[in-house]
Amino acid sequence: MDGVPDGVPRVPEQRRPDSTPTPSEPSTTPGAERPAEAAALRFSVLGPVRAWRGDEPVTTGSPQQRALLAALLLREGRTATAAELIDALWGEEPPSQALAAVRTYASRLRKVLDPGGEARRSGGTAATAVLVSESGGYAVRDLAEDALDLTVAQDLATEAEKARSAGDLCHARATLRRALALWDGETLAGVPGPYAQAQRVRLEEWRLQLVESRLDMDLEQGCHAEAVSELTALTAAHPLRERLRELLMLALYRSGRQAEALAVYADTRRLLADELGVDPRPGLSELQQRILQADPGLAEPSSPAPEPTAAPVRPAQLPATVPDFTGRSGFVRELGDILASAEGRVMAVSALAGIGGVGKTTLAVHVAHQARAAFPDGQLYVDLQGAGARAAEPETVLGSFLRALGTADSAIPDSLEERAALYRSVLAGRRVLVLLDNARDAAQVRPLLPGTDGCAALVTSRVRMLDLAGAHLIDLDVMSPDEALALFTKIVGEERVASERKAALDVVAACGFLPLAIRIAASRLAARRTWTVSVLAAKLADERRRLDELQAGDLAVKATFELGYGQLEPAQARAFRLLGLADGPDISLAAAAAVLDLPVEDTEDLLESLVDTSLLESAAPGRYRFHDLVRLYARACAERDELPPSERGSALSRLLDFYLASAAGVYAIERPGDRLVDHLEPTSYPGLRFDNRHAAQDWLYAEAICLLACVRQAAGRPETLPRAIDMLWAAHDLSESGANSKEYEATAQALVGAARSHGLGRAEARALMTLVNVHHVSGRFERAEEEAERAILLAQESDDLLPVCWARNARGIIALYQNRHADGEEHLSRAIEHFRALGDRPGVAAALCNLSRIHLATGRTQSAVALAQEGIDIYDAMGNSLRGANARYALGLALTQSGELRSAADRLQEALEVFRDSRQRLWEGMSLFRLAEVDLAARRAARAAANAEMALTVLRGIGGEWRRGNVLTVLGRALSGIGQTGRAQVCWQEAAGIYEELGSPEAAEVRALLAPVQAA
């Protein structure tokens, strides 16, 4: 058959042996100018046969008429005889008037495809119709190259194959996805006739080949966890397709699910023996053996590679080298030789160690600049802040590196391991130099090493990295007297030093030959033309001053900062001192304005002037950071008499107000009508205003680390502790994000302890509520129950009804999980009373939805549906879409149990879309899990398995083991339903182990599922 893609088996066309009568329609002249209507026509055969003129659909007529159009389109412009078309539509038993019918269909199609053609022809105007009759047959001609979706798909498949052959898997994957997206259901859907049936089979086989090719590339680029869900559904739909089974085994193995991978092989072998009486093909058997042997060759990167950009991104992040670099010639040569070895296709790693101020960074930057030509694909740089109390986290650094290398934010995974794997994948085939400055230890550095031939890494640190395997270690000491004098002379000038050589030697000796101290001293002298070298030497001769300014190690760096700080204007100095008080890795411009109590414009001018003095760094547009030791020095300045404690406290209080007011704004815009924001501690300094929900969410997650740091810092003062606790409560979305969950939990624990130590019962009750939410999300229900009970007692003592409401609500849902239904109903009923007393309608709705689940668990299905619907009505009336999604989730559960599966799936799908849009990963995963339950009830086992697999992927790292056990149980049921019993058994065994470790009653249920399988 013509028009099939390369490599796809062609189906021979059937031809009638009898003569072909000439159709009655007049033929048209090929090559004449095409009418405008034809140029705009588009056709689809990868689904229902459809046509459009521009954006307007064109009626294609009856099923037989569509069959005629499809047969002509699939011939790609070549003529089909009337006999061939009769065969295509009716096969060996055509009706008696088949030829007349073909003519009628062709005439009708011509009129709808080229409505102006007859008028032009009758007026004597030559025109080429879209559907032409010639040589005793018909053809569709003169269409645009992209007018037929099948042609577009073929071109895209060819382009993808070329990209894959060239090694550009990112482009190949993206192109195949575009090709596969052209299918809209069953090919030639509803088109009758033997020809259409043959083409359906052929094109479906081709589509599956494309899917397998795309999935193969997904696995090559580490997207194995995401692929499991799709492969599970595909193997259920095509159980005898061994290539899909092979890909599923590989995806499971790379996802750490070796037992399931082997179970897939066992299921496949049993199925092939039962259905066909054959063994699996050698490739599948070989994969099983490699899995059993834990073949290292099967381990691939566990993260997806980035989508390609229009041109390769070549970062050039090296700081500027100093023009007066002096000495260190032996080290420069040694390091240069190491980096040059990378051209021999090895990865070079060199680690420079030494005390602060010894010149590690200066040397590394100088050598890196000299070696730039050997690394044409770019140079990366980061200050790892290893000397400070909070060194840079490797996952944060990897995120920055991946962005610099052209990776989109959406393609950057969450975990350190996945980011490191993606980083190495992105660097594969590139020659990049990475400068890791001021590292804490080898553990911080290892994930940041390229691991790729042809790349190199330079590392600086205060400690020797003896445990950094394969690294070339260099210990950098202070300068020799000659080198120190040469550096001093370059900065100050030959003329001024030549006449006072002895004084110059005294100066560098007083600096302890420490390069940074020498540079500072020499720079001061160079900036003061009236000073002589002897004047500087005399100043440094005072040991009390010199020890304060130029001590080795950390104190030497402090002296350097002292000299720079002394040059600041009063406003700059005040900003420097106040900004140093704030914890967190950096600070936004708006937050800095709060600390300084200045307009944003004035704040930006001050901060940029500090950047010019090198006492502050520009981390990104609108964000600033201190070097870790500069921050310590700034705080030392702030704690001196020049900044009273009251001013320091006011600055941090304003920052806390800014974060609390902004977090409350995020909460309010996400949850309109929620009364929590009305019960938060009042603030004196305003927060940010957000135009929409997405902007609010972006701010919350971007500021998460700084916000939590501010909360912890405020916990140390009784006067700010209540506001800190309220800010954590308002920002509780961070506890479910996955990325910030652990830090949120640690902060909540710290706040509970601080409130308890200060005897602040009201504050402790609220802090306990943040901890209740953390334990609930993590599946630690006993601890959540204990904390909620104490929160109620403390809140009642302090007459703070809001924590009582939410603690009752939490205890109700926890009791549901623990099958204490009577307790749960009592707690939720009282929560509803309390919420109504506060006039908190969203709170009432939340408790109603949870009460719906109690009714559901106790067999009151009708009232469960009514309660959940009541919750939805309240949320919808207030425009609260996020909480409305929670209510739809509850209604979906009730409808599932009542047997209204179609409605249940609709409500859960609505909830899923809102949760996904709101970045609520926990509830996104749980909605997928509940959809899997609906699919099981509807006997759609393959779809249930796909949804359960997606739930497992989304819930990685959040939700706790109990929820994971629930999902695994449902996944096992779904797999059993599609005949993958071995894999189902593995899922149930894992679920049983989870339940038994937690002491959950579900363990008995899962063991009962395993019993028949084990007996067999």
Side-chain angles (χ1 to χ4, degrees):
M1 174 59 199
D2 300 303
V4 278
D6 293 340
V8 178
R10 298 175 179 268
V11 179
E13 296 186 59
Q14 298 178 3
R15 301 181 181 272
R16 291 179 61 88
D18 53 316
S19 60
T20 304
T22 303
S24 60
E25 288 84 354
S27 65
T28 55
T29 306
E33 183 178 353
R34 178 168 45 136
E37 293 90 344
L41 281 171
R42 294 181 294 111
F43 297 91
S44 170
V45 294
L46 300 178
V49 175
R50 291 172 291 184
W52 297 266
R53 181 174 291 103
D55 293 330
E56 294 297 322
V58 175
T59 302
T60 53
S62 66
Q64 286 78 13
Q65 193 167 304
R66 291 197 301 274
L68 177 67
L69 177 59
L72 294 175
L73 288 171
L74 290 173
R75 293 186 70 84
E76 296 184 339
R78 284 171 294 112
T79 302
T81 67
E84 289 170 337
L85 293 173
I86 290 172
D87 268 344
L89 269 62
W90 293 287
E92 296 299 324
E93 298 181 0
S96 59
Q97 299 300 314
L99 178 59
V102 168
R103 290 173 177 172
T104 301
Y105 300 152
S107 178
R108 290 174 181 172
L109 283 172
R110 180 180 292 116
K111 289 177 182 178
V112 296
L113 297 180
D114 188 16
E118 287 297 329
R120 283 191 297 275
R121 285 188 292 275
S122 63
T125 303
T128 301
V130 174
L131 193 154
V132 300
S133 55
E134 63 178 18
S135 304
Y138 298 92
V140 171
R141 296 274 174 78
D142 292 324
L143 297 178
E145 291 183 359
D146 59 350
L148 181 62
D149 59 356
L150 175 58
T151 304
V152 175
Q154 292 170 208
D155 292 342
L156 289 171
T158 301
E159 180 183 345
E161 188 59 35
K162 290 179 180 177
R164 186 174 188 179
S165 298
D168 189 353
L169 293 186
C170 291
H171 181 62
R173 287 173 67 210
T175 305
L176 271 188
R177 286 183 184 278
R178 288 168 55 200
L180 289 165
L182 294 172
W183 265 268
D184 185 14
E186 182 185 41
T187 303
L188 301 173
V191 176
Y195 178 78
Q197 179 58 29
Q199 295 306 303
R200 258 193 297 274
V201 173
R202 175 180 67 82
L203 291 173
E204 174 60 15
E205 171 63 24
W206 182 50
R207 185 187 70 83
L208 286 173
Q209 290 176 7
L210 295 182
V211 169
E212 289 172 346
S213 181
R214 193 259 303 159
L215 285 166
D216 191 26
M217 287 187 283
D218 286 350
L219 298 189
E220 284 188 56
Q221 295 205 290
C223 300
H224 36 262
E226 295 80 358
V228 169
S229 174
E230 183 177 1
L231 282 165
T232 297
L234 285 169
T235 54
H238 307 279
L240 298 178
R241 201 171 182 92
E242 292 182 69
R243 178 57 178 157
L244 289 174
R245 298 263 179 163
E246 182 178 350
L247 291 170
L248 177 58
M249 289 174 64
L250 188 58
L252 287 166
Y253 179 73
R254 290 180 181 169
S255 299
R257 299 160 70 174
Q258 179 179 356
E260 283 186 66
L262 293 170
V264 169
Y265 178 81
D267 290 335
T268 304
R269 184 175 182 179
R270 181 172 56 253
L271 177 67
L272 292 175
D274 292 344
E275 295 290 332
L276 304 176
V278 298
D279 290 329
R281 62 186 180 85
L284 206 62
S285 301
E286 179 185 350
L287 179 59
Q288 181 217 21
Q289 291 302 313
R290 294 179 69 189
I291 290 174
L292 287 170
Q293 296 164 6
D295 185 349
L298 293 180
E300 293 292 331
S302 57
S303 301
E307 293 299 324
T309 54
V313 178
R314 295 181 176 86
Q317 297 183 340
L318 294 178
T321 187
V322 293
D324 48 25
F325 181 85
T326 303
R328 311 292 199 188
S329 57
F331 290 123
V332 170
R333 191 164 49 249
E334 182 178 354
L335 286 168
D337 291 341
I338 294 295
L339 295 183
S341 70
E343 289 191 78
R345 310 310 298 162
V346 298
M347 187 189 71
V349 180
S350 295
L352 290 72
I355 63 172
V358 79
K360 302 181 297 295
T361 299
T362 302
L363 173 60
V365 169
H366 180 77
V367 171
H369 273 283
Q370 286 195 333
R372 284 180 64 181
F375 300 94
D377 294 318
Q379 305 85 41
L380 296 168
Y381 170 85
V382 65
D383 179 0
L384 294 174
Q385 306 175 45
R390 300 185 66 83
E393 294 295 335
E395 52 261 49
T396 303
V397 176
L398 286 169
S400 175
F401 278 1
L402 287 167
R403 293 184 190 96
L405 290 164
T407 307
D409 282 349
S410 60
I412 298 176
D414 292 333
S415 73
L416 171 61
E417 293 78 12
E418 289 178 318
R419 287 188 177 189
L422 176 56
Y423 170 62
R424 293 190 293 270
S425 298
V426 172
L427 289 181
R430 299 192 190 185
R431 294 183 52 73
V432 174
L433 174 62
V434 184
L435 177 46
L436 306 172
D437 193 17
N438 196 14
R440 177 188 57 205
D441 52 29
Q444 185 189 29
V445 166
R446 288 190 194 100
L448 308 178
L449 297 179
T452 306
D453 290 347
C455 289
L458 277 174
V459 184
T460 72
S461 176
R462 295 191 178 193
V463 298
R464 294 194 78 223
M465 297 195 174
L466 299 174
D467 52 345
L468 190 60
H472 179 78
L473 303 180
I474 292 179
D475 289 325
L476 199 59
D477 203 349
V478 297
M479 285 182 150
S480 68
D482 289 342
E483 287 178 332
L485 183 60
L487 174 61
F488 184 82
T489 302
K490 278 190 176 182
I491 298 172
V492 174
E494 181 68 29
E495 292 183 5
R496 298 178 71 181
V497 174
S499 59
E500 297 183 273
R501 182 177 176 81
K502 175 62 170 63
L505 286 170
D506 289 340
V507 168
V508 297
C511 292
F513 306 109
L514 196 65
L516 196 55
I518 296 167
R519 181 173 297 281
I520 294 170
S523 297
R524 292 186 68 195
L525 180 61
R528 292 161 174 78
R529 304 304 301 176
T530 59
W531 283 15
T532 64
V533 179
S534 298
V535 169
L536 177 61
K539 289 181 175 292
L540 294 176
D542 183 351
E543 289 188 357
R544 289 173 300 177
R545 180 178 179 83
R546 187 178 67 205
L547 291 174
D548 185 56
E549 294 181 350
L550 299 176
Q551 285 185 15
D554 289 349
L555 292 180
V557 179
K558 178 181 177 183
T560 302
F561 301 152
E562 183 73 57
L563 291 172
Y565 177 71
Q567 305 302 312
L568 298 180
E569 298 293 332
Q572 290 176 312
R574 174 181 178 272
F576 177 76
R577 295 190 299 265
L578 288 178
L579 290 176
L581 296 173
D583 283 348
D586 59 9
I587 192 167
S588 68
L589 182 58
V595 172
L596 302 181
D597 198 18
L598 291 173
V600 171
E601 295 79 7
D602 295 344
T603 300
E604 185 172 21
D605 290 341
L606 269 177
L607 268 56
E608 288 297 328
S609 70
L610 287 173
V611 171
D612 291 339
T613 67
S614 298
L615 288 174
L616 192 66
E617 298 176 11
S618 177
R623 299 198 74 86
Y624 299 87
R625 67 183 174 214
F626 282 110
H627 182 280
D628 47 9
L629 293 178
V630 178
R631 184 196 301 276
L632 294 178
Y633 173 72
R635 289 184 175 180
C637 293
E639 291 168 1
R640 296 193 304 225
D641 294 339
E642 51 194 307
L643 193 62
S646 59
E647 187 174 359
R648 300 199 299 268
S650 296
L652 292 175
S653 181
R654 287 192 299 272
L655 179 62
L656 180 61
D657 277 355
F658 166 77
Y659 280 131
L660 174 55
S662 299
V666 175
Y667 190 96
I669 201 170
E670 284 191 320
R671 300 167 173 83
D674 196 302
R675 293 293 308 280
L676 173 64
V677 294
D678 300 327
H679 293 269
L680 299 175
E681 289 287 317
T683 57
S684 301
Y685 193 90
L688 295 175
R689 294 184 179 275
F690 304 102
D691 295 333
N692 55 69
R693 182 165 58 89
H694 292 293
Q697 290 173 341
D698 289 343
W699 178 86
L700 179 64
Y701 289 105
E703 291 289 342
I705 297 175
C706 294
L707 186 149
L708 293 174
C710 179
V711 169
R712 289 191 299 272
Q713 191 172 17
R717 306 192 305 280
E719 65 273 17
T720 56
L721 179 57
R723 275 180 289 159
I725 291 171
D726 278 4
M727 180 161 70
L728 196 64
W729 197 356
H732 76 76
D733 281 349
L734 298 178
S735 69
E736 300 177 8
S737 70
N740 309 108
S741 303
K742 291 182 180 179
E743 193 151 15
Y744 185 98
E745 179 176 354
T747 304
Q749 291 278 16
L751 291 184
V752 170
R756 190 168 297 168
S757 65
H758 290 300
L760 300 176
R762 182 178 186 275
E764 184 182 349
R766 294 186 167 215
L768 284 168
M769 282 311 303
T770 67
L771 205 52
V772 168
N773 189 59
V774 167
H775 292 322
H776 178 208
V777 167
S778 301
R780 299 188 291 265
F781 301 127
E782 291 79 6
R783 294 186 62 184
E785 170 75 9
E786 293 171 6
E787 307 291 17
E789 185 176 6
R790 177 167 173 77
I792 290 173
L793 294 175
L794 291 170
Q796 288 175 334
E797 289 175 2
S798 56
D799 198 25
D800 187 9
L801 192 53
L802 190 65
V804 175
C805 297
W806 286 109
R808 289 283 185 195
N809 185 69
R811 294 187 71 184
I813 197 66
I814 291 166
L816 167 67
Y817 291 152
Q818 296 177 332
N819 296 317
R820 296 184 290 107
H821 300 134
D823 291 345
E825 187 159 0
E826 179 185 356
H827 286 306
L828 290 169
S829 297
R830 296 183 68 178
I832 292 171
E833 294 174 7
H834 294 325
F835 278 126
R836 283 178 174 151
L838 284 176
D840 191 335
R841 292 182 65 208
V844 171
L848 285 170
C849 292
N850 289 332
L851 186 59
S852 164
R853 297 184 62 180
I854 294 283
H855 281 223
L856 194 63
T858 52
R860 292 170 284 174
T861 307
Q862 187 172 355
S863 60
V865 171
L867 288 168
Q869 186 61 56
E870 187 178 352
I872 290 176
D873 293 342
I874 294 173
Y875 286 136
D876 287 354
M878 307 186 79
N880 194 329
S881 61
L882 180 57
R883 287 284 182 84
N886 289 112
R888 283 168 171 78
Y889 177 90
L891 181 57
L893 300 186
L895 291 170
T896 301
Q897 192 157 318
S898 67
E900 300 177 57
L901 301 182
R902 178 71 175 271
S903 296
D906 290 344
R907 300 294 81 74
L908 289 169
Q909 188 65 41
E910 291 168 2
L912 172 64
E913 290 169 4
V914 174
F915 290 141
R916 187 173 284 157
D917 185 58
S918 302
R919 308 182 197 180
Q920 298 284 315
R921 280 183 56 204
L922 172 66
W923 293 109
E924 177 188 348
M926 292 304 297
S927 297
L928 288 166
F929 163 60
R930 296 302 185 181
L931 280 168
E933 289 186 321
V934 173
D935 291 330
L936 271 182
R939 299 186 178 181
R940 297 189 295 263
R943 189 184 300 180
N947 279 325
E949 281 288 358
M950 285 191 285
L952 282 178
T953 300
V954 173
L955 292 173
R956 277 184 298 178
I958 58 173
E961 287 297 287
W962 179 75
R963 290 185 176 91
R964 176 175 169 79
N966 292 345
V967 179
L968 284 168
T969 302
V970 168
L971 176 59
R973 292 180 184 272
L975 292 172
S976 179
I978 60 177
Q980 297 187 18
T981 53
R983 190 174 157 205
Q985 185 177 13
V986 172
C987 292
W988 288 333
Q989 286 171 341
E990 185 176 353
I994 290 172
Y995 291 141
E996 287 167 354
E997 185 174 348
L998 295 174
S1000 300
E1002 291 90 345
E1005 175 188 346
V1006 179
R1007 287 296 177 195
L1009 290 173
L1010 281 167
V1013 179
Q1014 292 169 339

